[in-house]
Amino acid sequence: MSRPRLTFHYFHLMPWPDLPPDFDEKYDSAWVTLPNSIYDPEKGHALYNRYFDELERADKLGWDSVCVNEHHQNAYGTMPSPNIMAAVLTQRIKRARIGIIGNALPLHDDPLRVAEEIAMLDVISGGRIISGFVRGTGMEYFSYNINPTLSRERMNEAHDLIIQAWTRPGPFSFEGEHYNYRYVNIWPRPLQKPHPPIWMPGTASLETIDFAAAHRYPYMTVFMPMEQRKRAYELYRRLAEEKYGYEAQPEQLAFCVPIAIAETDDLAMKEGERYMMWLFQKAMKVPTEFFMPPGYMSLRSIRAAIENRASFGFANTTFKELVEQGVVIAGSPATVIEKLSYYTEVLHAGMLVTGGCTDGMPDYLVLKHQEMMAREVMPYFRQQELPPEPRPAEIHSEPH
Amino acid sequence: MTEADRAGGRIERTIEVQGIATHLFEAGPPTAPPLLYLHGTHLGNLWLDYHRLLAQRFHLFAPDIPGFGLSERPDWMHDMSDYVLYFRDLMAALSLERVALVGHSLGGWMAAEIAVWYPERVSRLVLSNAAGLRVKGVPMADIFALSPQRLLETCFENLMAAAPLIPREINTDYFVRLYAERTTLAALAWNPHYDPRLARRLQRLNCPTLIIWGARDRLIPAAYGEEWQRLIPGAQLVMLEGTGHMPMFEVCEQWVAHVSAFLQESQPQEVKPS
């Protein structure tokens, strides 16, 4: 079977855009400490359902998947339990895959619950689940009070447990440093074989790229300048080739990039500036201490992050600069195709993760964006297909 | 012993303890009573006035706790019990049969734990602005949420006294070292940031104990000093006015005078465990 040059994944953060007018002066963070009195459940009810409608439209318009994720105690994304969102989507989304990108494994003391829930969702959805695994942002280690120095170990161990729970006949025992079960024997088992596809979104940690490359999991770069994305893909490709002995394929390299699309470049720039800056200037407002709790990153990664001036927020960056740096894409369909072609042709990255309204963008504009992407951008990439690629062998960790 | 530097009566050396290259300062008359000083977070590899003054009366040992200063923390070391065993071996390596223990902040928590587990090794105990306890309704500041600047502002009442802690150059190495030290603190004290079992165990202490505190401490409020005194049989409490979390920096002579007077009391009163 031939493969599309680029697949399209509609990703929603489900943010809380309704911040008080004095947010900039009064609050130093949209995470952890932003008072939850700002959240209005009545409005939240309408907002959740509006967001679900938006994802449903993406399905009807032909996106390959709709995606949700996990964040806690913040205005950036109001989905503390992504599996609940995915459960709703199994009933609303009739065709596309449903991506949970992802469950923040180290935050949970019982990863077996994640294995069970993903298996349930996979069975309910008829095998349409994509299961992302993440560590969660640094902020979440404050919100859940999980020791960030154990983040990596818990991530790796929880991953091993979940993969085994999905693939090894139960019951069996699992004896780890952090997780220990006498009986692993999940009911139901996932429908997809050997298990739902796994994605790994990442921001800056070198270890995550290595882990993804080792397991041949797609690695997704999130909100970062093109230079940083290039470095991440180069590292993935190099590790794949030199350390793990295979050639990385386009469907292993995903990029999460917000896109403002309109009839002309000028209009796209105007709309993007009006509706996207909320995400970068307010929703991502976080003190460094919350973003990089001690031990969350290895010393090697923290040094690289400081030297590359990596940051979560883009508080002092203009929209024009975000476009120039490749953090976001803005333009007419022709411009968007040209920019996406850079990813497919030059970087050989084959999965676009984008979409999702932020900052209370009016729904007719969201619809326009969805339709232009579906009708004027997707067909271009779907006409050009890649030759079939043999399925890479699954490598699993040793049983514990 | 890899290195010895006899400058100003002070020996600086590195000894192996549990395979950990431990950097330490040693000073004072070898015949004087031994004193083991355990520093707080970010306060390793320092030789300041309070060290000098203590070394006038005591045989002072001031090691860098693994993960701070020049002593590296191996990955396997991430629990208070690892540190208690480490210090037990450090004392053996230094031939310290029985020692006066003085601990500040995180070092105070460690000193209290050592005294709980090895009471026969501790002649007298001084806890200054010590972490380790929980006082319900009086939360400690969240040190992990504070920037380096805010941390200094929270710890010091008089920022001039923080001069020895300001690096000559603020560069990537400085931030990486700070991050590494915070990582050690997080390994020990992210969650919980106290030991819920310690309060009960403190009844076991049977050595004379001094609790000394800066009344204005905004990191670990004075109520914690009162709690230590309440929980440790026979403990004395000295509350120093006009200073906060860093009394040995801000009111150095006063702090040393209290500590020295307590340690030099001629007849140590044996306190019966209750």
Side-chain angles (χ1 to χ4, degrees), chain A residues 1-7 9 198-199 212-221 232-241 244-255 343-352 385-393:
Chain A
M1 243 173 65
S2 56
R3 301 170 286 157
R5 194 160 288 272
L6 186 64
T7 54
H9 306 270
I198 290 167
W199 290 11
H215 291 83
R216 309 189 183 204
Y217 295 152
Y219 178 77
M220 178 174 110
T221 56
Y233 292 146
E234 278 163 18
L235 179 61
Y236 187 103
R237 224 186 291 283
R238 198 173 70 239
L239 287 166
E241 198 174 318
Y244 303 112
Y246 71 93
E247 187 184 344
Q249 298 298 312
E251 55 270 34
Q252 285 173 270
L253 302 177
F255 50 103
Y343 281 93
T344 57
E345 305 311 309
V346 181
L347 303 181
H348 303 290
M351 295 204 293
L352 167 66
E385 295 190 326
L386 292 170
E389 194 255 326
R391 186 183 179 81

Side-chain angles (χ1 to χ4, degrees), chain B residues 56-77:
Chain B
Q56 286 174 6
R57 297 192 178 94
F58 304 96
H59 185 190
L60 176 70
F61 297 87
D64 294 354
I65 297 172
F68 299 102
L70 302 179
S71 302
E72 296 286 332
R73 175 180 65 97
D75 284 343
W76 56 260
M77 193 176 200

Side-chain angles (χ1 to χ4, degrees), chain A residues 143-204:
Chain A
S143 289
Y144 262 37
N145 212 15
I146 295 296
N147 195 322
T149 67
L150 304 177
S151 164
R152 181 72 55 189
E153 285 179 26
R154 283 168 67 101
M155 176 78 182
N156 295 352
E157 200 173 301
H159 163 271
D160 293 354
L161 168 67
I162 291 168
I163 299 294
Q164 287 181 35
W166 283 344
T167 56
R168 279 180 70 189
F172 61 87
S173 67
F174 184 93
E175 291 163 354
E177 294 292 316
H178 304 280
Y179 308 112
N180 177 11
Y181 300 86
R182 284 200 174 87
Y183 306 102
V184 178
N185 190 26
I186 61 163
W187 290 66
R189 293 181 290 118
L191 196 152
Q192 296 179 81
K193 297 289 173 270
H195 54 71
I198 290 167
W199 290 11
M200 301 212 66
T203 48

